[in-house]
Amino acid sequence: MQTDESQSTLNSPLGDDKTKGVNLITGDPRKAIIKLSGPMIISMLLMTFYNLVNAIWVAGLGGDALAAVGFVTPLYLVLVGLSNGLGAGAASAIARYIGADNKKYANNATLHSLFITIGISIILTVLLIVFLKPILLLLGAGNTIDLAVQFGQVTFAGTILMLFTGVGYGVLRAEGDAKRTMYAMIISSVMNMILDPILIYWAGLGISGAAWGTVISMGFVSVVLLYWFFVKKDTYVSFSIKDFMPDKTVAKSILGVGLPASAEFLIMSILAGIVNGLLVVVAGTDAVAVYSAGWRVVMMATMPIIAVGTSVITVAGVSYGARKYENISIAHKYSIKVGLIIAAATSVLTFVFAPYIAMIFTYTPQSASLAPTIAAFLQVMCFFYIFMPPGVMSSSTFQGVGKGMTSLMLTLLRNLVFIAIFAYIFAIFFGLGEYGVWWGIVAGDILGGIVAYVWARTYIRRLRSVESSD
């Protein structure tokens, strides 16, 4: 049994021009995961921190401005998901061709990623600009519609920048260059934090200033990426038009991971709506406030685990392309081990400091009463951290080998079946209220992680049996 990537190596060897990153990802999978994860953890944590800072600056404009951003956020998150998804698709496809010792096909996949990004960006920009107002009204923008349109028009004018940076990061990750990915993400986040107060208040642009800060920072990073790819040309893969051959198989390889990975963000948004609805029914709007505040902390605490999962996509992709299926098994098990160590550390820290973390969100007299409940929520979520790595690393493994629909199915099961059902049973059937919703999230995460782990180990064993029979 040969993969498409391995078959394509016959007439197109990789050559002796491997970069340090390529040597890393084609070597020991344990070392590759550690080396790739470190920079990604730093950059993801900084981007999460930026989002928190951005919300604080916008809050200074008043409740209507904050609400207007809130109405645009669901559409923005769709783009974020698409950007990350296309980046994952590009990383997976390119890494598989690199693993298969086929630089020409890796270059071709890189160019396909670029052209796909440009095409999708043009279509989405037109649709979002033309239909922005009716969509926002449908989402309930109401008397904040003018502010929401102001913010949205500038934000979505930069659609191509957002998607291109996501794919650019994916290209760099595919060849093991996590450090430059980190540098680019840090530049974007720091620029954004600096520009926001200047544009919002000093330049007097108000809510539009927040959007311009994001667009300008993404534009600057895009220029940096273009310089690395087209001027400096010191990346392993290249955007050489002579290597471009329109190929449905290559496009399918990218989109087969990219689109399902993007859809996973939509599924998580749907779950958030279900959880909010349950909380309102069983405990009122204060329960939603507790969940909203506490979940920001959960997202920051789990970023290192997600960063390790991102590194698995590259390592699994390279190993699959090289038909070194034992390395996929090693990467899967080792990444879970690393993830569990991180989860244990963050769980202990969160449990101990939960009352103090809760004070960050309850510093006003109006919100002070929520502090004990937020602390209790965070202490329950400590168990969520611990059982998260098996699911994340298993989904990332499937993305790496090109099985994006399997990863999407696992996300669907975990979020819209297991978590949603357990949250309903615990909160309503057993009458545990908002605590039941929290424990339902944990229980669904545990079951989802077990299913994902078993599914991944079964698939890897099947691959290894093929390897041993060759």
Side-chain angles (χ1 to χ4, degrees):
M1 175 181 173
Q2 285 188 320
T3 64
D4 292 339
E5 290 86 349
S6 62
Q7 291 172 350
S8 65
T9 66
L10 297 177
N11 299 315
S12 190
L14 180 115
D16 58 358
D17 55 346
K18 292 183 179 179
T19 62
K20 184 178 179 180
V22 171
N23 285 323
L24 172 67
I25 61 177
T26 54
D28 183 355
R30 301 177 189 85
K31 183 178 179 181
I33 285 172
I34 294 298
K35 291 283 188 179
L36 293 175
S37 298
M40 290 304 301
I41 290 172
I42 295 171
S43 52
M44 284 187 173
L45 284 174
L46 185 59
M47 290 194 75
T48 305
F49 179 70
Y50 148 69
N51 287 326
L52 185 61
V53 172
N54 185 51
I56 292 171
W57 286 121
V58 173
L61 295 171
D64 284 350
L66 200 57
V69 172
F71 287 116
V72 175
T73 296
L75 296 175
Y76 179 75
L77 290 179
V78 170
L79 289 187
V80 171
L82 186 57
S83 176
N84 291 339
L86 289 175
S92 174
I94 296 167
R96 277 177 273 145
Y97 287 122
I98 289 175
D101 281 1
N102 196 323
K103 185 175 181 181
K104 185 175 181 179
Y105 269 65
N107 291 345
N108 195 30
T110 301
L111 286 164
H112 273 76
S113 300
L114 176 62
F115 295 144
I116 288 170
T117 300
I118 292 172
I120 292 176
S121 297
I122 292 172
I123 294 170
L124 284 180
T125 300
V126 172
L127 290 176
L128 286 170
I129 295 299
V130 172
F131 297 105
L132 179 60
K133 188 170 183 177
I135 292 174
L136 291 174
L137 287 172
L138 190 64
L139 291 173
N143 59 359
T144 67
I145 186 64
D146 291 337
L147 288 172
V149 168
Q150 267 184 3
F151 182 76
Q153 283 179 336
V154 177
T155 298
F156 299 132
T159 296
I160 190 169
L161 300 175
M162 182 183 300
L163 299 191
F164 173 70
T165 53
V167 170
Y169 298 155
V171 170
L172 292 173
R173 290 197 306 269
E175 59 177 61
D177 196 346
K179 284 188 177 180
R180 276 206 283 196
T181 305
M182 176 185 70
Y183 298 149
M185 295 174 78
I186 288 175
I187 290 170
S188 177
S189 299
V190 172
M191 276 194 69
N192 224 325
M193 285 189 280
I194 293 172
L195 287 173
D196 272 355
I198 293 173
L199 296 175
I200 293 172
Y201 299 106
W202 186 76
L205 295 178
I207 194 171
S208 295
W212 275 115
T214 300
V215 172
I216 291 171
S217 63
M218 288 191 302
F220 182 82
V221 171
S222 296
V223 171
V224 172
L225 290 170
L226 289 170
Y227 171 75
W228 287 338
F229 293 145
F230 292 98
V231 180
K232 197 173 183 183
K233 296 182 179 179
D234 61 345
T235 53
Y236 173 72
V237 295
S238 66
F239 289 83
S240 175
I241 197 66
K242 72 177 187 296
D243 289 329
F244 179 67
M245 297 176 293
D247 191 326
K248 290 182 180 179
T249 301
V250 176
K252 185 178 178 181
S253 180
I254 296 165
L255 294 174
V257 173
L259 294 182
S262 303
E264 291 181 23
F265 281 78
L266 179 60
I267 288 172
M268 287 185 278
S269 296
I270 294 172
L271 174 65
I274 293 172
V275 169
N276 285 340
L278 278 173
L279 289 170
V280 169
V281 169
V282 299
T285 55
D286 278 355
V288 176
V290 168
Y291 173 73
S292 178
W295 197 253
R296 287 178 181 268
V297 179
V298 172
M299 290 302 296
M300 183 170 285
T302 55
M303 274 297 162
I305 299 172
I306 294 170
V308 176
T310 301
S311 72
V312 173
I313 296 175
T314 299
V315 177
V318 167
S319 301
Y320 185 79
R323 303 185 74 228
K324 295 180 179 178
Y325 304 137
E326 175 63 23
N327 282 357
I328 299 177
S329 179
I330 293 171
H332 181 242
K333 287 183 177 179
Y334 186 72
S335 62
I336 291 175
K337 186 184 296 183
V338 173
L340 288 173
I341 293 171
I342 294 172
T346 54
S347 293
V348 170
L349 290 172
T350 302
F351 191 90
V352 171
F353 292 102
Y356 306 100
I357 296 171
M359 291 171 61
I360 298 173
F361 301 97
T362 57
Y363 59 86
T364 63
Q366 294 85 351
S367 59
S369 61
L370 299 177
T373 314
I374 292 176
F377 171 80
L378 292 175
Q379 289 174 334
V380 169
M381 286 301 109
C382 290
F383 297 94
F384 177 85
Y385 303 166
I386 294 173
F387 291 98
M388 189 176 173
V392 171
M393 308 315 166
S394 298
S395 292
S396 295
T397 298
F398 282 118
Q399 288 180 345
V401 302
K403 293 190 170 294
M405 286 304 297
T406 303
S407 176
L408 176 61
M409 182 61 66
L410 291 172
T411 300
L412 187 68
L413 281 173
R414 183 174 62 253
N415 290 283
L416 298 189
V417 178
F418 298 146
I419 290 179
I421 289 176
F422 277 120
Y424 177 84
I425 291 173
F426 290 173
I428 295 180
F429 187 77
F430 289 122
L432 298 178
E434 63 184 309
Y435 283 79
V437 175
W438 305 345
W439 283 111
I441 294 172
V442 173
D445 179 57
I446 293 172
L447 184 56
I450 292 172
V451 170
Y453 178 80
V454 172
W455 198 331
R457 295 313 304 174
T458 302
Y459 173 75
I460 292 170
R461 278 197 298 271
R462 196 161 66 243
L463 283 179
R464 293 172 66 190
S465 66
V466 171
E467 182 180 31
S468 61
S469 66
D470 286 347

